[in-house]
Amino acid sequence: MMRDVAICGTGYSAIGRALDTTVGALTLDACKAALNEAGLTPKDVDGMATYPAAGDSVPCFYVVESLGIPRLDWFEDLFGWMPAGITPVIAAAHAVARGACDVAITFRSVKRNRERPPGIGYGFRVPGDMQFRAPFGDPMTSQWLAMWARRHMHTYGTTEEQLGSIAVTFRHHATMNPDAPLRVPITLDDYFASRIVTTPFRLLDCDFPVDGAGAVVITTLERARDLKTKPVKVLAGEFATGPRPDWDQWEDLTFMASKYCAENLWRRSGLKPDDLDLAELYDGFSWLALCWLEDLGICPKGEGGPFIADGNVAIGGTIPANTHGGSLSGGRLHAISHVIECARQLRGECGDRQVKDARLGVVTAGGGLMAGALLLEGNV
Amino acid sequence: MSDRPLPLPDPETAFFWEATARRQLEILRCQTCKTWVHYPKPSCWNCSSGDLKPEQVSGRGTVYSYTVTHQDVPGYTAPFAVVIVELEEQAGLRMVSNVVDVPPEDVRIGMPVEVTFQPVAEDVWLPLFKKR
Ligand SMILES: [Zn+2]
């Protein structure tokens, strides 16, 4: 017997370019803020999940001991290639639904490692699949996904201007978000003036690295109704990959695992893209948000570029996206901020950037060969 | 050149680097369904057979996608082009490499290329590509 599940609390730590705070302290600040928003205490928590990725954060045990949680009946540290900060939220929603725990706290924290350059270190032997990339000058995620974006441009005629319109639109949203680290408006001229990282990606196509943490508390819908904030119901939480999960052997680099994830989302929820009021789409790189729009079926395949350039994803457009500024302008919190923004939009708390009458939202994370997505409903 | 990361062959990939050191390009092939399997794995992704053997491929293909990287990475000074080459033996049979005789800004999708080998250490030759 599956139980209805809701998001009942959300919270952030300080978010900044180079904070003089440990990643553990940031994590605890976010968890306390999320519990406080719900009106819960650490004594109420009996489940926990996080995505510590490649070790840039702290595991569940650190938080249990530091917050004074008496006991966990369910926990998961989700390592490896997973769809970023949405991963623990989906896992916790399923755990609460099946009764493994009643109040689960989930978090994603990031602290940039400023000692180590990106990619692989110098002068050593590279194991695994990376032995077929790093020796050819191809150690960075930006390069792998740039080649997906390039293939999409080749196949569908997607343009640099259209990629630029993603960055410009999300920055405009960030100007209305007091918590966003990048709030100065930009134009397409600014976009074209930003330095090229790896074609077709410029600096403004890449997420903005920050230190910070976000946390989300999940409980049953029934219990959430008695808590401090309005419940946001979790209608579906899905993961997917495809038959050739690899950065260059993937069957066709013009679509991502998001295609399979979206099929699961719509089939299992019985809903359709037209039902959505807003979308918080993973934008580690601009093109990922474009591809998610297409793969979700919000616009036809191949038409994401014109769809965005025509203003459809701006606040006030047909389907506002990344209303907090996304990762491009809201900071690289690895999608936990996308979950928090969607929940707050569906509670109607977003001030100048509030999407009018927002009731149904989708949150997505992951790019290339991995995908995760949540369907959230407000006013329940 | 000396700071270029080098491959660390393992029991599943050693044949590939031993072949390139002989200036040959070998890819695992399923002996049951004849599917080419790359990157090397002990089982065929198409039919699950474990009967795989390295076979020499033509070394001819086309550029499937590319990126011109404008920041230095270990062993490479910007700007330089990274390509995904699709080999002519099978749709979707791809490898990451570089095109040695084309300026980065002139690399294009669909460009026909063929393999060439470049020594980067005493025991390591990289399969790179040149325009054909
Ligand atoms: Zn086979």
Side-chain angles (χ1 to χ4, degrees), chain A residues 36-78:
Chain A
N36 190 47
E37 192 186 77
L40 292 167
T41 75
K43 306 282 184 255
D44 297 308
V45 174
D46 63 355
M48 189 180 294
T50 188
Y51 175 65
D56 57 353
S57 179
V58 290
C60 289
F61 291 158
Y62 180 100
V63 175
V64 172
E65 191 172 349
S66 305
L67 282 185
I69 293 168
R71 160 179 171 154
L72 288 184
D73 297 318
W74 174 83
F75 72 95
E76 283 186 10
D77 287 316
L78 295 144

Side-chain angles (χ1 to χ4, degrees), chain B residues 30 32-35 44 46-49 52:
Chain B
C30 176
T32 304
C33 76
K34 296 297 176 189
T35 296
C44 170
N46 185 50
C47 77
S48 303
S49 166
L52 304 170

Side-chain angles (χ1 to χ4, degrees), chain A residues 4 20 24 47 58 63 71 82 88 129 138 176 188 194 203 227 251 277 283 295 311 317-318 329 342 368:
Chain A
D4 284 338
D20 188 21
V58 290
V63 175
R71 160 179 171 154
M82 296 290 286
D129 284 357
D138 185 33
M176 296 179 273
L188 270 181
S194 76
L203 194 61
L227 297 177
E251 54 201 298
D277 299 308
D283 57 343
D295 290 352
T318 55
S329 290
C342 192

Side-chain angles (χ1 to χ4, degrees), chain A residues 173-197:
Chain A
H173 295 169
T175 64
M176 296 179 273
N177 176 9
D179 294 327
L182 295 176
R183 291 190 301 276
V184 178
I186 54 169
T187 63
L188 270 181
D189 287 342
D190 296 322
Y191 172 80
F192 281 107
S194 76
R195 73 176 172 86
I196 295 172
V197 174

